[in-house]
Amino acid sequence: MSTTLAWMDRVFAAYWPPVLAALVLFWAYSVITRALAIWAGHEVAFKDPKPARTAKSGASGSMAWAVIKWLVLAVVLACATGYGLFLLLGRPSLPARNAFTTTELLDLLKIGLAVVGGLGAVVALSVAYRKQQVSEAAHVIANDQELREHDKFFNERYGSAAEQLGHERFAVRLAGVYAMTGLADDWPAGRQMCVNVLCGYLRTPYPQNDSTDREVRQEIIKTLLDHVWGHSPQGRPIRMDFRKVQFEDLDLSRRKFSAEMDFEEAVFHGKLTNFTECDFTGVVNFYGATFASEVTSFAGSDFRGAIANFQRAQFIGKTVDFTETNIVSSGLSFEEARVVDGATVSFRGTRAQATSISFENAVMRKAELNFSTVLFMPPDERKFQSRINLRQIAAVGTTITFQDSKINDAVLEFNRAELRDCTINGDRLVLNNTDVLVRDVRPAEAAEALRELSRIVRKAPAPEHEGPHRDEPQ
């Protein structure tokens, strides 16, 4: 026994330095080759030290092979531990077999039995671990199956609701609206898809003589706008795409509008399109929309931190009403819009601060642009100067009125405007620290009327929280 241990000690002492040196050299070679490759500009793929764990469909290998692997590992660990203790005790020599007493032999037998028992425990643990692996794999498979059944159930509901929406009968289409909305409530992952289907139905050709389909459309609009779904599981807000949709007598009063609603090139017709007392934030898009209703009302609405985009919109109804709106730190863009056929765009009684209202390059025919009794307040801390931009508008037979308005710390720009047969009404207009820019305005009588407007304005008292300012009309 002592001879065997001495031989193992000599082998270990003789070979462990070369083995350790070989491992170090291999590691150094690997590091140096990668460094040279990186220095030369080559792409080097590094192995992820923590690769993504994928669920196994089941435990691999046989039970016998798993037990053998654990037994081999246990024997190796036992031998390593025993040899470590032998070295720690200073390589003691064992006595001859005849020198052991009966008690010592019994102790040795107990140690042997303990080792055998330990190996049996290893076998039991390996079997238990194997069973645990199989159980976990079965659980993963069951979860995957449940998810597949879950998705299959929602897909079946989706297909059924979509089929109902395309049915010929009014009652079935109406039921499809409710079915698709209910599916959107129950299926967060597919919510945006359900909303897209409902919005897509609205974009189909508008029926001229089918009152039942109009009722279905109104129910879709009401259902979509009355729901507050928040965000999708991906963290994105639910977007409602109303582009090119035709709305008849639409009532969206007292609602909140933000970037999640897109009305690009939509058509609003009927007697009343109602946006009264709404809250607008973010970018609200009406680009290229047509407002053909007799009255389109935004009266009493709040625009706070909003960008309302009415660029290239057409106003061909009787009145577009922005009376008594509150516009703070916002921009309303009517650039390249068309206001024709006697239409009136009214901002009467509007309260604004740090706001831009732009009609640059707009076309007006026999129309009215009403800024009477508006109040433009000085900006907080004078960060942003308000602006009414009528630059390069082309107006014929149009009335532009600022009667009884008070405009503080702002710019009124008419540069390069064409105002043929137009009336400019500035009765009792009050400007404070406000510039009126009139350059290259045609015809000459319109330019003179604007210059007269600049000369006859009265200076308003400076607000109490602001220092005195100069009027510098131009």
Side-chain angles (χ1 to χ4, degrees):
M1 183 69 177
S2 60
T3 303
T4 302
L5 292 175
W7 178 81
M8 292 177 61
D9 185 30
R10 287 196 299 272
V11 170
F12 180 77
Y15 289 104
W16 77 264
V19 172
L20 181 61
L23 292 174
V24 172
L25 288 174
F26 177 76
W27 175 81
Y29 171 77
S30 177
V31 172
I32 292 172
T33 54
R34 287 176 180 270
L36 290 175
I38 294 174
W39 181 73
H42 300 295
E43 293 185 0
V44 177
F46 291 93
K47 185 178 180 180
D48 189 357
K50 293 183 179 180
R53 298 180 61 186
T54 56
K56 296 181 179 180
S57 59
S60 60
S62 64
M63 178 72 76
W65 176 240
V67 172
I68 291 172
K69 287 191 295 184
W70 283 106
L71 279 176
V72 171
L73 180 60
V75 171
V76 171
L77 290 176
C79 292
T81 303
Y83 185 66
L85 289 174
F86 173 73
L87 294 178
L88 184 63
L89 296 174
R91 301 186 181 89
S93 59
L94 296 177
R97 182 176 57 184
N98 297 330
F100 286 103
T101 64
T102 303
T103 303
E104 291 173 339
L105 289 174
L106 290 174
D107 290 337
L108 290 174
L109 180 60
K110 291 178 181 179
I111 293 173
L113 292 175
V115 171
V116 174
L119 294 176
V122 170
V123 173
L125 287 174
S126 64
V127 171
Y129 178 68
R130 175 72 175 189
K131 290 181 177 179
Q132 179 64 25
Q133 281 186 313
V134 173
S135 177
E136 290 179 355
H139 180 68
V140 170
I141 294 173
N143 283 341
D144 291 343
Q145 182 65 27
E146 183 179 356
L147 289 176
R148 285 193 293 270
E149 292 295 329
H150 188 265
D151 291 341
K152 179 181 178 181
F153 171 69
F154 282 126
N155 285 326
E156 289 176 351
R157 287 181 59 184
Y158 174 80
S160 176
E163 185 177 355
Q164 287 178 304
L165 283 173
H167 203 275
E168 296 179 355
R169 295 174 56 192
F170 159 71
V172 178
R173 295 200 304 273
L174 195 60
V177 173
Y178 298 134
M180 190 65 75
T181 306
L183 178 59
D185 289 333
D186 300 336
W187 191 19
R191 183 168 294 159
Q192 183 64 69
M193 181 170 61
C194 297
V195 172
N196 289 344
V197 170
L198 293 173
C199 292
Y201 186 97
L202 295 176
R203 287 194 296 274
T204 58
Y206 192 81
Q208 298 298 324
N209 301 313
D210 188 352
S211 60
T212 61
D213 194 65
R214 295 180 186 180
E215 187 172 343
V216 172
R217 291 167 181 266
Q218 292 297 324
E219 190 61 33
I220 290 176
I221 296 167
K222 179 178 180 295
T223 301
L224 287 176
L225 297 178
D226 284 346
H227 272 73
V228 181
W229 280 310
H231 293 71
S232 66
Q234 293 76 25
R236 300 175 181 175
I238 299 299
R239 183 173 180 269
M240 298 185 187
D241 187 354
F242 296 122
R243 292 176 298 172
K244 298 183 179 181
V245 173
Q246 295 194 42
F247 299 97
E248 183 177 8
D249 291 324
L250 182 64
D251 185 0
L252 300 180
S253 59
R254 299 178 180 86
R255 285 184 171 87
K256 293 184 178 180
F257 291 86
S258 60
E260 291 76 51
M261 295 185 183
D262 189 351
F263 295 93
E264 181 176 335
E265 297 186 11
V267 178
F268 302 90
H269 57 90
K271 293 184 178 180
L272 173 64
T273 296
N274 193 0
F275 290 93
T276 60
E277 299 182 14
C278 291
D279 292 331
F280 293 88
T281 58
V283 180
V284 185
N285 189 24
F286 292 93
Y287 180 91
T290 300
F291 295 88
S293 300
E294 292 184 20
V295 177
T296 300
S297 177
F298 292 86
S301 295
D302 281 342
F303 294 83
R304 294 184 181 273
I307 301 295
N309 181 11
F310 293 91
Q311 293 181 12
R312 295 195 174 185
Q314 297 190 64
F315 300 93
I316 57 179
K318 183 178 179 181
T319 302
V320 180
D321 189 2
F322 288 89
T323 61
E324 298 184 356
T325 55
N326 295 305
I327 311 175
V328 179
S329 300
S330 300
L332 274 65
S333 176
F334 298 86
E335 297 177 3
E336 300 183 48
R338 293 177 57 86
V339 186
V340 295
D341 299 332
T344 297
V345 179
S346 175
F347 290 90
R348 183 174 51 83
T350 290
R351 301 293 183 266
Q353 184 180 48
T355 290
S356 172
I357 301 176
S358 176
F359 283 86
E360 184 171 348
N361 290 311
V363 175
M364 298 184 180
R365 296 285 187 273
K366 298 180 180 180
E368 180 180 356
L369 187 57
N370 189 347
F371 287 100
S372 63
T373 66
V374 302
L375 172 61
F376 275 72
M377 296 174 288
D380 291 339
E381 302 179 3
R382 304 188 61 77
K383 290 182 179 179
F384 181 82
Q385 191 176 33
S386 294
R387 193 177 194 92
I388 298 178
N389 184 8
L390 301 177
R391 186 172 182 267
Q392 291 184 295
I393 67 169
V396 176
T398 296
T399 299
I400 303 175
T401 179
F402 294 92
Q403 184 176 351
D404 294 315
S405 295
K406 296 181 181 179
I407 302 177
N408 300 284
D409 297 273
V411 174
L412 302 182
E413 182 175 358
F414 295 88
N415 292 339
R416 301 178 65 183
E418 184 174 351
L419 307 173
R420 298 188 181 278
D421 299 324
C422 293
T423 302
I424 311 296
N425 184 355
D427 293 345
R428 297 178 297 279
L429 171 64
V430 177
L431 302 181
N432 181 57
N433 196 37
T434 295
D435 294 336
V436 181
L437 306 181
V438 182
R439 187 172 64 248
D440 298 330
V441 174
R442 295 177 299 172
E445 52 269 24
E448 183 59 30
L450 291 175
R451 293 190 183 95
E452 183 65 22
L453 176 69
S454 303
R455 288 192 290 267
I456 65 173
V457 296
R458 296 182 297 153
K459 180 176 179 180
E464 295 181 359
H465 64 282
E466 298 283 345
H469 306 302
R470 294 184 298 110
D471 279 334
E472 295 180 354
Q474 298 182 11

